[in-house]
Amino acid sequence: MNEKLVAIWREAWRPPDRRPPWAWAEEHIGSIPYSPIPGRFRSDNSPQIREPLEAIVDPKVRLVFIIAAIQSSKTSVGEIGLCHIIANLPGPALWLDQTDDDAKDQAESRLHKLFEDCAPVRALFPGDRHKKRNTTIHFRNGMTLWVLGAHNKTNLQRRSIRWLIGDETWRWPLGHMAEAEARVTAFGWLGKCIFMSQGGEENDDTHRKFETTDMREWTFQCPKCGTRQPWSWEQIEWSKSARDDQGEWDYAEVRRTAAMRCASCNHYFDDSDRTRRELNANGRFIPQNPRAAKESVGFHWNSISAMSWGALAELYLRAKAIARRGDISALKQFYQKRLAFPWREYEEDYKLEITRGGYRKGELWEDEAGVNGRGQLVAAPFEPGDIAAPLRILTVDCQMDHVFAVVRSWSANGSSRLIWNERLLTFDDVEALQMRFGIHPSLVFLDAGYATYDVYRECGKRGWVALMGDRRPTFVHRTKTGKSVQRFYSPRRKVVLGHASHCYVHYWSNLNLKDTLARLRRNQDPERGATWEVPDDIDDEYLAQMESERRVKKGGKWIWERVGKRPNHYWDAECLQAVAATMLKLIGRESVSAEPVKEGAAVDAAESA
Ligand SMILES: [Zn+2]
């Protein structure tokens, strides 16, 4: 036997290393190319990569999918896994980058350097240097590794592959992932796919595939209260007053005040590498999709466990500032590269910044319109005797033992100002607030979605109007001339509450009127039409609740969905403001309108539609 065959023979009979790949790598890998941490590989520095590495060698697992932030060791999982595979579980392997050029670069600048620094792999380098080209290596143990581009379809054909490792799959052309997977299927039950990516676009191949896995999320445990929770962007906070004289963000102050709040006990963690190291040390993955097939495992982590929160906050706020000028690319990149989320069309509504309006809570507004004795709209300025009531709307979100009330002033052009918001205990408190601001009872609207009968009874007793959110996009109205038109709210329905008492209820389209509110909120610039304002001294509870819902696509349809378990009461009360203003024809228009809307139909419209 020649020397080469002897080596192969010896290699074949060596017992496989049963340690987890990360423990094996700690012994054998001298350094990771381009790693910010020099010296030997230590999994303590990025403990989130241990479990994905274990999944790679788990015989029950066929797919390992990692979606993670850039510069957070996600490619290292593929690279370290590959070293371990070459030394311990050899079989035909294909590493796919985006293009052939990217693949060549990955092979030269990273893989070859890594192999050189990993003794068990280096020992398997072929003696014949022609067998070790940059993008194809025939190792002495019989294993072949190809490093190729996923764009080139011919790279995805013919070969039968045991190990497929795909990097940055979000950049691959549609359908190429499935094409590559077919090579592994051809190899049989030993074949395995390992994919790595940052966030891409909603519904692309990367995210659709990831959603077939158990979607494990990297979490930490709060040392104060013991609550385990994901590293979540919603928990990163900075001083709301970190602004300069012009009202622009003072980034030094943002960085200085950035902190992470425990979602459960509100403990603030200071922004330091030490904090992150301590929280990562007891990190664990929690499956978000536990019903997935056992052979498909997914891992997700973002930059929050890996980099300065102040630096992230600055990136985010700068991206928001650019987005306000109409260019969303930086904001999109923040979501994809830092949070490792798919970009969604409506993502920018999700954490919309509210600019304060330069006035204080309770202050009245000179642009506020009025309603005259015939129920017609009167634009400011006017004499006090010209109007019967100010155009002030009170909306109320009702819960079991308390309610959330919002008072908004409206101008004749559809601009509005929040002038009061408060959590109240009883319906008498609501009426006291109504009296205090001189609001007409037919401009008081209550959400009847919860405690429906109580709300109906109070509306009947006090002349208020009940509103009920609904899945339908539009509702048919008959006009006085007999035409039918579609509107975002229903004609009023009379609800009889026993003898001599009744109230009126309107249904409204959740999707269309929440969209209306989202559009209204975006504008604080009078040059661009109606503005929507909140006072300088608005409270944090209100601001937090206004970020409680987001627009998502479910089963092919857009819906507004609550984010986690965030309280959304002020958001609901503001939705009712949008409903009422639409009913009063102050804003928006019907989805399908057969006739132009008459001006000055104010209070009548709400009453009789
Ligand atoms: Zn806590």
Side-chain angles (χ1 to χ4, degrees):
M1 269 196 284
N2 67 24
E3 189 193 331
K4 187 182 156 202
L5 277 175
V6 171
I8 291 169
W9 189 252
R10 195 168 55 227
E11 191 56 33
W13 285 100
R14 197 171 53 85
D17 198 317
R18 300 275 181 210
R19 282 176 294 172
W22 53 269
W24 175 91
E26 286 182 344
E27 182 188 333
H28 293 297
I29 293 184
S31 67
I32 304 276
Y34 299 105
S35 164
I37 304 154
R40 296 202 70 76
F41 165 70
R42 285 190 51 214
S43 62
D44 278 355
N45 294 327
S46 40
Q48 75 275 17
I49 75 174
R50 287 179 187 149
E51 199 172 311
L53 281 166
E54 289 166 18
I56 288 175
V57 298
D58 181 338
K60 295 188 294 298
V61 172
R62 302 290 304 276
L63 168 68
V64 178
F65 206 135
I66 297 159
I67 296 184
I70 58 166
Q71 291 150 22
S72 70
S73 304
K74 77 173 161 350
T75 302
S76 299
V77 175
E79 292 169 339
I80 293 167
L82 180 58
C83 287
H84 185 266
I85 287 163
I86 294 166
N88 301 290
L89 296 161
L94 173 61
W95 179 293
L96 288 173
D97 263 287
Q98 190 198 1
T99 64
D100 285 334
D101 281 346
D102 293 326
K104 191 160 174 285
D105 188 53
Q106 167 72 18
E108 284 170 9
S109 66
R110 295 186 61 125
L111 292 180
H112 280 268
K113 286 200 172 82
L114 182 66
F115 295 163
E116 287 288 350
D117 221 355
C118 178
V121 174
R122 197 175 56 226
L124 293 170
F125 275 164
D128 179 352
R129 65 182 186 85
H130 294 297
K131 291 197 165 179
K132 184 183 163 238
R133 293 197 309 278
N134 279 333
T135 55
T136 310
I137 306 174
H138 300 283
F139 290 97
R140 294 169 82 131
N141 58 2
M143 168 166 172
T144 303
L145 168 68
W146 293 274
V147 186
L148 301 170
H151 266 247
N152 186 346
K153 245 189 173 166
T154 56
N155 290 338
L156 314 177
Q157 290 155 1
R158 292 191 312 275
R159 292 181 190 87
S160 194
I161 299 295
R162 176 174 177 191
W163 299 98
L164 173 69
I165 306 177
D167 198 13
E168 299 301 4
T169 59
W170 67 289
R171 298 174 73 189
W172 296 9
L174 191 74
H176 284 210
M177 185 186 284
E179 195 102 17
E181 282 178 292
R183 300 298 92 217
V184 176
T185 315
F187 193 86
W189 63 275
L190 277 175
K192 193 173 291 204
C193 296
I194 301 146
F195 292 126
M196 290 113 35
S197 186
Q198 61 164 66
E201 305 270 347
E202 183 179 40
N203 276 327
D204 63 8
D205 281 354
T206 290
H207 292 281
R208 281 216 300 261
K209 192 77 193 171
F210 186 74
E211 281 164 14
T212 68
T213 72
D214 57 4
M215 299 170 71
R216 303 178 195 180
E217 179 73 28
W218 186 239
T219 66
F220 68 93
Q221 186 173 30
C222 172
K224 299 289 171 200
C225 70
T227 304
R228 185 160 286 284
Q229 54 199 292
W231 297 79
S232 161
W233 179 237
E234 284 69 53
Q235 305 309 125
I236 304 297
E237 297 182 0
W238 52 89
S239 167
K240 295 220 164 54
S241 55
R243 292 176 187 267
D244 65 15
D245 303 340
Q246 275 80 51
E248 299 296 322
W249 285 109
D250 174 348
Y251 293 115
E253 190 64 7
V254 169
R255 286 195 304 273
R256 198 184 64 75
T257 57
M260 182 170 73
R261 183 169 55 81
C262 168
S264 179
C265 73
N266 293 332
H267 172 73
Y268 280 92
F269 298 96
D270 69 316
D271 180 12
S272 72
D273 288 337
R274 187 193 161 138
T275 306
R276 281 181 286 277
R277 201 162 43 243
E278 284 168 3
L279 295 178
N280 275 317
N282 70 16
R284 194 193 298 162
F285 282 102
I286 304 289
Q288 309 295 302
N289 186 23
R291 296 159 68 106
K294 291 281 170 274
E295 60 180 36
S296 301
V297 300
F299 300 92
H300 178 262
W301 64 84
N302 55 39
S303 290
I304 300 164
S305 63
M307 73 177 270
S308 153
W309 306 325
L312 278 173
E314 179 174 355
L315 275 173
Y316 173 74
L317 291 172
R318 286 190 186 278
K320 290 286 288 188
I322 298 166
R324 272 199 298 279
R325 297 197 294 273
D327 176 3
I328 58 158
S329 57
L331 192 60
K332 182 174 172 178
Q333 286 187 14
F334 182 84
Y335 277 89
Q336 295 177 321
K337 294 184 189 302
R338 306 295 172 172
L339 301 184
F341 280 146
W343 177 254
R344 297 185 172 98
E345 185 196 353
Y346 266 74
E347 204 69 85
E348 79 266 34
D349 290 339
Y350 170 36
K351 201 164 180 179
L352 191 96
E353 217 173 288
I354 298 174
T355 312
R356 272 64 159 186
Y359 68 98
R360 299 190 68 80
K361 203 168 147 175
E363 276 177 21
L364 298 185
W365 185 29
E366 69 223 17
D367 286 355
E368 183 182 66
V371 182
N372 68 17
R374 285 170 296 156
Q376 293 164 327
L377 206 66
V378 184
F382 44 76
E383 295 298 315
D386 294 347
I387 63 161
L391 189 54
R392 232 167 262 170
I393 298 173
L394 168 57
T395 54
V396 186
D397 176 74
C398 304
Q399 297 301 308
M400 189 160 61
D401 49 9
H402 53 267
V403 305
F404 290 81
V406 166
V407 180
R408 227 168 225 287
S409 275
W410 291 82
S411 82
N413 77 354
S415 290
S416 69
R417 271 187 174 187
L418 182 145
I419 56 172
W420 198 258
N421 66 298
E422 194 176 354
R423 178 192 192 122
L424 301 168
L425 291 175
T426 66
F427 291 106
D428 286 337
D429 294 340
V430 174
E431 189 166 327
L433 186 66
Q434 176 200 342
M435 294 305 164
R436 180 177 153 202
F437 282 100
I439 297 167
H440 193 277
S442 66
L443 293 177
V444 179
F445 298 86
L446 275 73
D447 175 22
Y450 192 84
T452 305
Y453 185 77
D454 288 346
V455 170
Y456 285 167
R457 193 188 54 220
E458 296 300 325
C459 286
K461 200 159 89 187
R462 306 179 203 248
W464 300 338
V465 182
L467 295 174
M468 188 82 98
D470 197 280
R471 282 163 188 246
R472 285 169 282 182
T474 58
F475 303 83
V476 180
H477 293 243
R478 294 245 170 258
T479 65
K480 283 178 183 125
T481 58
K483 278 188 191 147
S484 69
V485 293
Q486 301 280 339
R487 290 177 175 146
F488 291 159
Y489 55 91
S490 78
R492 70 174 185 178
R493 306 256 157 85
K494 187 172 176 177
V495 180
V496 177
L497 302 157
H499 105 143
S501 177
H502 66 269
C503 78
Y504 292 108
V505 58
H506 295 263
Y507 296 85
W508 55 277
S509 161
N510 266 315
L511 177 68
N512 283 317
L513 283 161
K514 287 180 176 182
D515 281 356
T516 300
L517 174 61
R519 270 194 302 277
L520 274 183
R521 284 179 70 193
R522 264 191 227 139
N523 192 27
Q524 271 110 36
D525 176 8
E527 307 262 294
R528 289 168 47 209
T531 59
W532 189 95
E533 295 176 283
V534 298
D536 286 345
D537 52 350
I538 190 72
D539 54 289
D540 289 346
E541 186 184 17
Y542 171 91
L543 290 173
Q545 294 197 8
M546 287 305 285
E547 308 301 339
S548 58
E549 290 197 7
R550 63 182 162 194
R551 198 178 196 268
V552 295
K553 210 170 197 175
K554 282 267 168 85
K557 280 187 181 158
W558 286 103
I559 56 160
W560 282 88
E561 179 190 75
R562 203 158 136 199
V563 183
K565 293 195 170 63
R566 290 190 205 177
N568 57 354
H569 313 302
Y570 282 129
W571 162 259
D572 279 343
E574 289 286 20
C575 288
L576 298 190
Q577 291 277 337
V579 176
T582 304
M583 285 163 53
L584 293 164
K585 313 287 188 288
L586 290 166
I587 54 167
R589 57 181 187 84
E590 286 91 347
S591 56
V592 185
S593 178
E595 55 182 8
V597 175
K598 253 188 8 239
E599 290 266 341
V603 171
D604 282 348
E607 293 283 73
S608 59

